[in-house]
Amino acid sequence: MIALVDCNNFYASCERLFQPHLQNRPVVVLSNNDGCVIARSDEAKVLGIEMGAPSFLIEPTLQQHDVSVFSSNYTLYGDLSDRVMNTVSRFADQMEVYSIDEAFLNLTSFRYNNLTEYGIAIKNTVTQNTGIPVSIGIAPSKTLAKIANRLIKKRNKHLGVYCLDTMEKMQYALQNTEVKDIWGIGSQYAKLLTRNGFVTAWDITRAPEEWIRKNMSVTGQRMYQELKGISCIAFEDMPPKKKMVCVARGFGKVLNEKNEVMEALANFTAMVAAKLRSEQQAATAIQIFLQTNAHRSGDKQYFRSLTIQLPVATNSTRELISHAQQGFETIYRPGYNYSKTGCTAMDLVPADELQYNIFDKENRERDSKLMKVVDMVNKSFGKNAVRFALQGFGTRWKLRQLKLSPCYTTRIEDILTIRI
Amino acid sequence: MGFPSPAKDYQEDVIELSEYLVQHPSATFYFRVSGDSMINACIPHGALLVVDRSVKPVSGMIVLAVVNGEFTVRRIVQTSKTLVLHPENAAYKPLAVTEEMNMQVWGVVTATVVKYKYDKNDRIG
């Protein structure tokens, strides 16, 4: 059997943990730049606030119902996610962290006669130790575990655990899951299935295998098996190493000064470089882009991206910024109101397998030593304590995060003070 | 190069204070206090508290509690009839937890860290 542990309204739950007066109150979390809703507490869902709703559109609802609004604080969410995953991992030999707030547990080799009870023990321990409420679906396959999890959240959230351990329960779960809500079904397949009269997941399991094979890809056939309770999506203990690292963000307000836009790009490139180094990877190429805001109808529009092949794969901030700057000179056009820029590192290779180029003029050893020092200093003295001149000290390109909560768990100066 | 140090074989890791203070890293959070209501339990104004959510609260422990949505730090005392949140300073009153009150223990305080700041007269500021 496989369990899917999924945090309830994860980002909203993280914010609430340190503001207990928000328990039972509507809470929403906004995306980068405070653009739209990316998490809602149950109370906010009841108010009809939709996922993805642009914040300026729902402003009246937020005001009227005194909804607590937060900018996304990924530092906080990342730390609490680690705590949840650490706690969960003790309950099984094999765990796959599927996303920031979900993990699959492999309970196959597990001889416990009451898996529902075991699930309740997991749920209670995670909620007690980390303060983050979770729901758990347990079933013979990943796809069914997803379905079980979704149903318990929708129908019996207070129970929190749903184990599909009999044919009857499985049938009930499948009959109560619409085709479009099956894990891994894209909108194309959902349409195809609906057109052919499939309404629920149960209907799919009744279809002749022949039909599935003819009309759907390998993914479709796998889903068919999984729905029937035959596990065929493998466990991935380690998330596959990233093939790309991208930092791209909109500015707090539009920028039309060349050096300000370049400063933003240099900072994002520096973040990409630091990420690469922390994962011991190096980029073979980078892609940079500049764009204006398509929603400002009065503005002239411009979008340009440029891929730059690097002479030698690197993760040095100095080198990457210098290439990004050359690229920037090529694609920058004056007279536009820029709203976003970014840098993507591509074709990543392990940093210890770098192929050197005999015509290479860079002093790589010195550079890599320098980067180690930069990372060390920034680790002890704070992000960007040491920076390259191009990164500047400007703030206009910075994210709009008006309602950012403190990093309670990762910065000593952000620790919550309690009046006693 | 010279001879290898005879102490090499006896070398151990340096003392990590956080290992001493924290038993369950995934369940441990830090808070700071403002106020002197817990002074007799060695929790002065400005102290940093180590709070472990995985420890089961037992009568007599110092806990971080949430009373009607507000955090507080008190010694929790369970008598045969009542549950009381006790301050550790005679100037403050104990709080008997009633049915109508919404009281939860957020975590158990397992350690207090006080870092001295000296003023120009070398007194603890």
Side-chain angles (χ1 to χ4, degrees):
Chain A
M1 297 286 267
I2 290 167
L4 174 68
V5 183
D6 191 357
C7 302
N8 300 346
N9 312 328
F10 182 54
Y11 299 166
S13 300
C14 292
E15 298 291 352
R16 257 182 183 165
L17 184 56
F18 294 92
Q19 301 206 25
H21 64 277
L22 298 180
Q23 213 58 253
N24 308 318
R25 302 266 325 137
V27 172
V28 300
V29 178
L30 303 178
S31 61
N32 276 344
N33 262 337
D34 296 348
C36 57
V37 174
I38 53 166
R40 307 159 296 162
S41 71
D42 288 340
E43 298 76 9
K45 289 176 190 171
V46 170
L47 294 176
I49 297 170
E50 294 291 331
M51 201 68 164
S55 50
F56 70 91
L57 273 185
I58 55 165
E59 191 63 43
T61 315
L62 299 178
Q63 296 264 335
Q64 191 194 333
H65 297 281
D66 192 21
V67 177
S68 299
V69 180
F70 293 92
S71 304
S72 33
N73 181 346
Y74 287 106
T75 311
L76 177 67
Y77 310 153
D79 177 64
L80 287 167
S81 169
D82 284 350
R83 289 164 182 265
V84 169
M85 299 309 170
N86 266 320
T87 309
V88 170
S89 68
R90 277 181 260 141
F91 286 90
D93 303 331
Q94 206 182 16
M95 174 173 84
E96 175 185 340
V97 176
Y98 183 66
S99 71
I100 191 165
D101 59 356
E102 303 169 272
F104 287 108
L105 293 179
N106 192 350
L107 306 178
T108 310
S109 60
F110 201 78
R111 299 268 167 263
Y112 197 86
N113 39 17
N114 192 336
L115 281 175
T116 305
E117 249 173 46
Y118 193 63
I120 291 171
I122 300 176
K123 173 182 119 77
N124 289 344
T125 308
V126 174
T127 309
Q128 177 59 52
N129 289 12
T130 67
I132 301 296
V134 296
S135 298
I136 303 178
I138 306 172
S141 68
K142 279 185 174 178
T143 308
L144 286 173
K146 272 265 186 189
I147 285 178
N149 197 300
R150 192 175 165 280
L151 279 181
I152 196 72
K153 274 190 169 165
K154 281 230 174 315
R155 310 214 163 164
N156 275 309
K157 206 166 194 172
H158 60 285
L159 294 178
V161 179
Y162 194 28
C163 180
L164 304 183
D165 50 5
T166 63
M167 288 314 275
E168 291 73 33
K169 283 189 199 168
M170 239 186 281
Q171 181 173 346
Y172 171 84
L174 290 168
Q175 284 172 337
N176 284 280
T177 302
E178 280 180 55
V179 165
K180 66 169 172 47
D181 293 327
I182 301 171
W183 183 47
I185 287 246
S187 59
Q188 287 307 312
Y189 275 133
K191 270 184 208 149
L192 172 85
L193 288 163
T194 314
R195 223 178 21 243
N196 284 280
F198 298 95
V199 180
T200 68
W202 175 250
D203 299 339
I204 297 177
T205 61
R206 314 309 293 162
E209 193 168 354
E210 190 55 34
W211 188 91
I212 300 285
R213 195 173 319 134
K214 244 198 206 143
N215 293 282
M216 297 177 85
S217 64
V218 186
T219 327
Q221 289 169 47
R222 229 169 32 178
M223 173 211 60
Y224 178 74
Q225 298 292 334
E226 285 250 322
L227 287 178
K228 289 190 149 197
I230 301 157
S231 172
C232 42
I233 299 177
F235 250 77
E236 289 175 25
D237 294 306
M238 288 284 290
K241 271 212 170 175
K242 282 188 222 135
K243 288 279 182 290
M244 274 188 191
V245 171
C246 172
V247 177
R249 292 187 188 165
F251 310 138
K253 43 193 140 190
V254 293
L255 301 178
N256 49 28
E257 290 281 331
K258 185 177 179 185
N259 55 1
E260 283 184 320
V261 184
M262 182 57 226
E263 192 176 304
L265 179 62
N267 275 284
F268 299 159
T269 308
M271 285 156 91
V272 166
K275 266 193 202 175
L276 289 173
R277 291 196 295 276
S278 75
E279 292 176 9
Q280 277 108 47
Q281 306 222 52
T284 319
I286 56 170
Q287 185 179 60
I288 58 164
F289 75 89
L290 285 175
Q291 75 179 63
T292 51
N293 184 349
H295 299 294
R296 287 169 60 107
S297 45
D299 280 7
K300 283 187 294 173
Q301 298 296 321
Y302 182 72
F303 173 89
R304 216 21 230 288
S305 76
L306 181 72
T307 305
I308 304 152
Q309 188 67 40
L310 306 174
V312 173
T314 181
N315 55 23
S316 146
T317 305
R318 190 186 62 77
E319 261 193 277
L320 289 175
I321 288 185
S322 126
H323 287 291
Q325 189 194 9
Q326 284 171 29
F328 176 81
E329 293 293 342
T330 315
I331 63 175
Y332 181 84
R333 297 285 175 278
Y336 292 97
N337 288 323
Y338 290 96
S339 68
K340 193 172 180 180
T341 184
C343 173
T344 308
M346 300 186 302
D347 299 330
L348 305 189
V349 293
D352 48 11
E353 291 171 21
L354 294 187
Q355 299 211 343
Y356 289 98
N357 176 333
I358 50 166
F359 300 110
D360 187 16
K361 288 191 283 290
E362 303 280 350
N363 187 343
R364 275 168 214 290
E365 211 163 306
R366 198 196 60 186
D367 227 35
S368 121
K369 273 187 204 151
L370 173 65
M371 286 306 125
K372 272 198 191 117
V373 174
V374 167
D375 288 342
M376 241 159 61
V377 172
N378 284 343
K379 199 166 175 239
S380 359
F381 294 96
K383 222 174 177 178
N384 279 331
V386 178
R387 62 179 95 200
F388 285 81
L390 263 174
Q391 286 177 257
F393 289 92
T395 51
R396 297 229 306 157
W397 54 271
K398 280 212 173 118
L399 279 182
R400 193 160 46 201
Q401 293 179 310
L402 297 178
K403 284 134 184 166
L404 190 64
S405 52
C407 294
Y408 305 105
T409 59
T410 50
R411 291 185 200 154
I412 202 148
E413 65 276 14
D414 279 8
I415 288 178
L416 190 64
T417 297
I418 294 163
R419 297 180 59 84
I420 62 168
Chain B
M1 259 295 163
F3 293 104
S5 160
K8 200 98 193 142
D9 291 342
Y10 298 91
Q11 226 161 43
E12 295 178 354
D13 280 345
V14 293
I15 292 169
E16 282 295 343
L17 211 43
S18 61
E19 277 173 28
Y20 173 69
L21 292 171
V22 177
Q23 274 81 51
H24 310 104
S26 295
T28 299
F29 298 84
Y30 303 110
F31 291 84
R32 209 174 271 290
V33 297
S34 146
D36 60 359
S37 65
M38 292 300 284
I39 190 79
N40 293 335
C42 305
I43 303 179
H45 173 76
L48 188 150
L49 303 183
V50 179
V51 176
D52 190 336
R53 288 185 59 101
S54 69
V55 174
K56 195 173 173 296
V58 172
S59 182
M61 285 181 169
I62 293 166
V63 298
L64 174 65
V66 178
V67 181
N68 296 330
E70 298 296 324
F71 278 122
T72 188
V73 177
R74 289 291 183 259
R75 187 182 297 278
I76 193 166
V77 179
Q78 171 84 66
T79 63
S80 57
K81 283 203 187 105
T82 54
L83 189 64
V84 182
L85 294 175
H86 267 284
E88 291 286 329
N89 180 339
Y92 293 79
K93 283 202 189 83
L95 177 78
V97 178
T98 60
E99 290 271 330
E100 309 84 70
M101 245 179 242
N102 186 356
M103 198 285 287
Q104 282 165 332
V105 173
W106 197 95
V108 170
V109 178
T110 53
T112 299
V113 180
V114 179
K115 207 167 155 181
Y116 296 133
K117 288 190 192 96
Y118 291 102
D119 62 17
K120 55 180 182 294
N121 300 317
D122 294 338
R123 292 210 187 91
I124 295 169

